[in-house]
Amino acid sequence: MPDFAWSGDLRDKLTIDGVEHEVRISVGDLLEVSLSLDMVDGMTLTSIREGILVASPCTSCAIDISSGREFLIIFLREDGRIEAEMAIFDPIYLDQNTVEVTASSILTKSSATINSLLFVEPSMGLGSHWVLSISLNDHSVELPNLWSNFDSLNLELSTSGLTPGNRELRLAESRASVLSALRQGNEQAIIGLAERSWLEFKSQLSVETDSDRVELAQDIARFANSESGGILAFGYRTKRQNGIDRVEKRSPFAALKGIEPRLQSIIDYRVYPPIRGLEIIQTQAGGGRVFLTILVPSQVEADKPFLVHGAIIAGKTEGVFFSITRRRGEGSVPITAREVHALLAAGYSVSRERNEKETP
């Protein structure tokens, strides 16, 4: 944790780890502080609030963290709320829904939610960009991790630094493009798509047996336990080509009444803890047939691993067991007994330390 100190006749000078920083008090007694990205290592939202606002001349603060043209402004509100504003320059997508869904699925990892999304036309030397206003709901999040999520947003949504050829590739194969194509049933964009660590296709959907339900829960939990979540799409047949499974043709199935709440109920029952921001999307294919897509956002690390109630052992469903699975590349890899023991031991250690602190 860096050392913060206020000085000056008006307490208008902020020193962090021996380095004095320029501060500005704007109209409305809002304290404005600029920090470089390399200065916030190890800082959490809570620690920066306590370090900057305690004994400061103001009760609210705006912290500007920047790296080149990219910036992240964090607002420490007087009532305890922490919000942020960030911009996506040179955006690939001008469709607000695509940007909002993609950003939400990434920001879920930091327990952040979008308050507003605004597209800004080019002006004053700045190109077009999206401005996101978000609420930071978990104040234990470290600022470098928050910036990492911001980087992930740029990788998905911005064309900055890309050649025209790479821009077209990004546009065709990014997660946002794939999700948009699945939502719209865009056959031209989907046929030929390759499965990858965050994308899996299945030809049919069945939840009639315990085995079906456990398998579905395991598929969802694999994405939840991965680094970046994923998309599970039903109604598409794949064919293996040069070691890669690619969508060969559409295979819509008969619409099932009330399937969205039923799937949500199965996932809620089978997967623990609850998956944040999970979305189930049904797309009409005509003739009473549909496609179905399940979006699993990237999850908070503290929630992992996600457990599945039930396991499939030697082809049989065992309801008294639980299973833990995760993805690696295009396949799934079970977490080993050694890793489970380490997680349980770490949790026991934290719990014991907390109890010792609370015991008078």
Side-chain angles (χ1 to χ4, degrees):
M1 170 68 185
D3 177 53
F4 295 88
W6 286 96
S7 61
D9 295 338
L10 300 176
R11 303 192 68 79
D12 57 353
K13 295 180 180 179
L14 174 63
T15 301
I16 305 177
D17 285 343
V19 179
E20 190 172 283
H21 292 267
E22 179 183 352
V23 298
R24 188 165 69 91
I25 300 177
S26 61
V27 177
D29 288 336
L30 176 67
L31 180 72
E32 299 181 16
V33 182
S34 295
L35 299 176
S36 60
L37 183 59
D38 59 1
M39 290 194 56
V40 299
D41 189 33
M43 290 189 193
T44 65
L45 294 170
T46 296
S47 67
I48 202 166
R49 169 186 283 281
E50 293 175 350
I52 289 183
L53 286 185
V54 171
S56 78
C58 298
T59 55
S60 57
C61 178
I63 303 163
D64 180 2
I65 303 172
S66 59
S67 178
R69 186 171 61 162
E70 297 178 358
F71 69 87
L72 173 66
I73 302 176
I74 299 174
F75 297 95
L76 307 178
R77 304 299 189 189
E78 186 175 356
D79 61 5
R81 291 178 297 120
I82 301 182
E83 298 174 322
E85 192 172 279
M86 58 181 65
I88 306 296
F89 288 97
D90 304 323
I92 298 179
Y93 308 98
L94 304 184
D95 170 58
Q96 181 166 337
N97 185 65
T98 298
V99 175
E100 186 168 1
V101 170
T102 303
S104 294
S105 69
I106 293 173
L107 292 171
T108 296
K109 190 170 186 177
S110 296
S111 298
T113 52
I114 297 176
N115 296 327
S116 65
L117 183 62
L118 175 67
F119 182 74
V120 181
E121 299 286 353
S123 64
M124 300 179 64
L126 291 177
S128 61
H129 56 281
W130 287 98
V131 176
L132 288 81
S133 174
I134 64 177
S135 289
L136 303 175
N137 305 306
D138 181 358
H139 297 177
S140 67
V141 169
E142 292 189 0
L143 269 64
N145 291 339
L146 188 61
W147 187 272
S148 177
N149 277 6
F150 181 35
D151 272 346
S152 297
L153 276 177
N154 272 292
L155 286 174
E156 284 289 337
L157 300 174
S158 173
T159 63
S160 293
L162 294 181
T163 64
N166 286 338
R167 182 187 185 281
E168 292 303 315
L169 184 63
R170 168 93 51 95
L171 185 60
E173 296 191 353
S174 73
R175 191 177 311 213
S177 290
V178 170
L179 184 59
S180 178
L182 290 170
R183 281 177 175 273
Q184 299 169 19
N186 185 345
E187 181 177 6
Q188 185 176 2
I190 298 170
I191 300 301
L193 274 178
E195 288 190 339
R196 58 204 77 179
S197 61
W198 51 266
L199 179 62
E200 183 175 352
F201 293 99
K202 290 179 178 289
S203 60
Q204 295 293 312
L205 170 66
S206 176
V207 289
E208 299 307 311
T209 68
D210 280 346
S211 179
D212 291 337
R213 293 187 282 272
V214 169
E215 183 178 351
L216 171 68
Q218 289 181 334
D219 287 337
I220 299 301
R222 287 185 186 108
F223 283 128
N225 283 324
S226 71
E227 181 65 24
S228 59
I231 299 170
L232 183 61
F234 295 89
Y236 303 93
R237 293 190 182 276
T238 60
K239 183 177 181 181
R240 200 155 187 84
Q241 302 173 4
N242 300 321
I244 300 174
D245 288 325
R246 293 184 178 275
V247 176
E248 182 182 35
K249 64 179 180 179
R250 305 194 316 165
S251 179
F253 47 89
L256 302 172
K257 186 176 181 180
I259 188 60
E260 292 100 328
R262 186 179 179 192
L263 289 176
Q264 187 68 64
S265 178
I266 290 169
I267 294 167
D268 288 345
Y269 174 73
R270 292 283 178 180
V271 181
Y272 184 85
I275 295 175
R276 301 172 189 244
L278 183 132
E279 186 176 358
I280 300 171
I281 307 152
Q282 189 169 232
T283 305
Q284 299 298 320
R289 306 184 77 80
V290 298
F291 303 100
L292 192 134
T293 302
I294 302 178
L295 171 64
V296 183
S298 54
Q299 298 294 299
V300 177
E301 289 298 322
D303 287 349
K304 299 176 184 178
F306 289 84
L307 312 181
V308 175
H309 175 61
I312 300 174
I313 302 174
K316 295 182 179 180
T317 304
E318 299 290 350
V320 296
F321 287 80
F322 72 87
S323 51
I324 310 175
T325 54
R326 62 184 178 189
R327 294 182 68 82
R328 179 184 296 160
E330 294 177 21
S332 61
V333 182
I335 293 179
T336 65
R338 183 186 300 274
E339 291 173 304
V340 172
H341 179 270
L343 290 167
L344 292 173
Y348 174 74
S349 177
V350 170
S351 177
R352 183 176 59 186
E353 290 178 5
R354 184 182 296 116
N355 289 337
E356 288 174 352
K357 289 179 180 178
E358 293 175 353
T359 301

